[in-house]
Amino acid sequence: MIQPLKRFFTLHGMLPLILILFVCVFSGAMFLIIQSKQYDKIVTYSGRYLNETLSNEERVNDLLSQMTLSEKIGQMALVEKNSVRKSGDVSEYGIGGILSGAGGKPDANTVEGWRDMVTKFEQLSRESRLGIPVLYGVDANHGHGNVPAATIFPHFIGLGASGDEDLVAEVARATGEELVATGINWSYSPTLDLPEDIRWGRVYETFSSDPNLVARLGSAYIRGIQNDDVGHVPVLATAKHFIGAGSMGWESSSNKNFLIDQGKIEVDEVKLREIYLPPFAAAVDAGVGSVMVGLQSWGTTKLSAEKYLITDVLKGELGFDGFVVSDWYSVYEISNFDFYSSVVAINAGVDMIMLPFEYETFVRNVSWAVKLRLISEERIDDAVRRILRAKFKLGLFDERKSAPELDVIGSEAHRKLARDAVSQSLVLLKNDSQVLPLKNVRSIHVAGSSAHNIGRQMGAWTIEWQGVDGNWVPGATSILDGIEEVSEEGTTILFAEDGIFEEGSRADVGIAVVGEAPYAEGWGDDPRPKLSDVDLSAIEELRKTSERLVVVLVTGRPLIITNELPDWDALVVAWLPGSEGAGVADGLFGKRPFTGTLPIHWPAIIKQVPVSTDGKTTDGTDLLFERDFGL
Ligand code: BGC
């Protein structure tokens, strides 16, 4: 027996084996090639899906039945606009979505520049075989923030302080109008995260740490921006960052540059369901068109790989019928192998992938994954059906409703709304001897780094991802300008940023407008959020020349101010008010009453953080101010 076997395995004897192997590989390859052709076979074109009298589902099914596999995968790609290598690629790959990441502006950053850029992408997409229009998305977190002339509303934390659903819906509607005027039909907003740790650099992007308030305001925002009663194409909203964002552990980030952002969420399933899920459930009820899965992890699993949470809970239990989009590059953080990562994310239930760069490789990888049966055709069809459903719902295939004129951007009506929103977002935390509102004040000294600095009052996600410090935005009003405008006639107002005024110059009231410089995402993670030495010194100097001292905090989150507070007569938190600084002055001078309340617990010392959403401090000591407090 041994001898014949040995002989068989000599080079001569191996020939049959090699032959068999060759035949196997050859027929396998032929099978795949034939199959590939099958997948990309084009069925006869019928424009039935363009018939507006059919139901959206009929139209989606008709369109889907005519699409090749590559066309379907193209729809699942969300590409950053600067990464589109050749303009012809938009139609050739049938790209489903284009985005301007924060700061992704046209060469001419003007309203016309934006409209021309977005329209060009839209036209290119319509040149594809089936003419499927592209979704164009931006982070309109607080207005059409990439555009200098736009109305910049308070960041969400300020809207949270107002607690006013109608206001939030109005802000969303106005934001939608400014977006649509430049052709944009998708906003990566609202954020439904619940911040438990003020050290996180995204606190200001959230409405509150109160799940009920977030659910209420988030839904109002969705209804406002997706409203199809407005006479123009509505804007698709995105509830983000699914799920648990705000509960990440300190120093748990998977990004070596960050401390907490993109970290591990520290919640078990019970807490996730009780606290973090309700805002998303409310968003689904409000009809949100897309949900973004965040960059955080649950245990060791990146959220974009979390099949149970995405497919079973969000799509299954909550009945979400829109599409799930992944966050920036997050799919490729699942593993070191792009092919494998795409397979895992799509099988987990991600429908559109914010690549945001390499679309050619993505289409190739996913196409092979389907041919190798690693992703089912049903899964691809489900993803594309969801994306197309959103496009039909927005009316992108239909006779265009006329878009608002460009002059709606930064219009007087929107600025008035923003100014109202600012005054409603102010929270009065201290007011000794009723120093506020300021009445019959003859002289005012104003100081501080944020008093005459529009970049600071806007915060990040404005023109640039990290914002721009300084006075640079056309049409906006600084808080100092607002004070000058609103103060009573005859009041002398002097400004010195460092709080040092001419010798002998005294004021009835000193207003210190101090706070944070702009930051976004992980770059704003801060071990101890507090006032800068420069601002502390300005306050100290100002104190010397003022009878009474009013401090206005321009900040994205509670700062540790426990030691300084006793020396201040009044304290107003203005959050990040945006372009209309006069709204702050309206509150200070009593044109509008203070109605805002804290949307988040305010720690006294850093050892208290994280503070649970229901107000339990880590060290068991008392907070400086509890959520919902406001005079
Ligand atoms: C952020 C998202 C944002 C996306 C696109 C990511 O870095 O986490 O909130 O929507 O970028 O700009």
Side-chain angles (χ1 to χ4, degrees), residues 99-102 138-139 141 188 191 202 205 240-241 261-262 292 295 327-328 354 461 465 521:
L99 87 143
S100 274
V138 294
D139 292 279
N141 295 349
Y188 306 127
T191 298
R202 305 193 78 164
E205 288 184 57
K240 69 184 188 184
H241 304 85
D261 193 47
Q262 304 183 11
M292 187 188 291
L295 288 148
D327 202 346
W328 186 272
M354 195 188 288
W461 301 97
W465 180 38
E521 300 193 49

Side-chain angles (χ1 to χ4, degrees), residues 402-447:
S402 60
E405 296 296 324
L406 282 182
D407 61 8
V408 78
I409 297 173
S411 67
E412 213 178 295
H414 288 181
R415 289 190 185 279
K416 186 175 170 300
L417 172 66
R419 181 169 173 170
D420 263 12
V422 173
S423 52
Q424 292 189 56
S425 72
L426 303 175
V427 183
L428 180 62
L429 289 179
K430 182 176 179 184
N431 195 16
D432 283 357
S433 329
Q434 305 293 306
V435 58
L436 291 175
L438 300 172
K439 297 273 179 216
N440 306 319
V441 176
R442 279 163 301 123
S443 52
I444 297 177
H445 280 176
V446 182

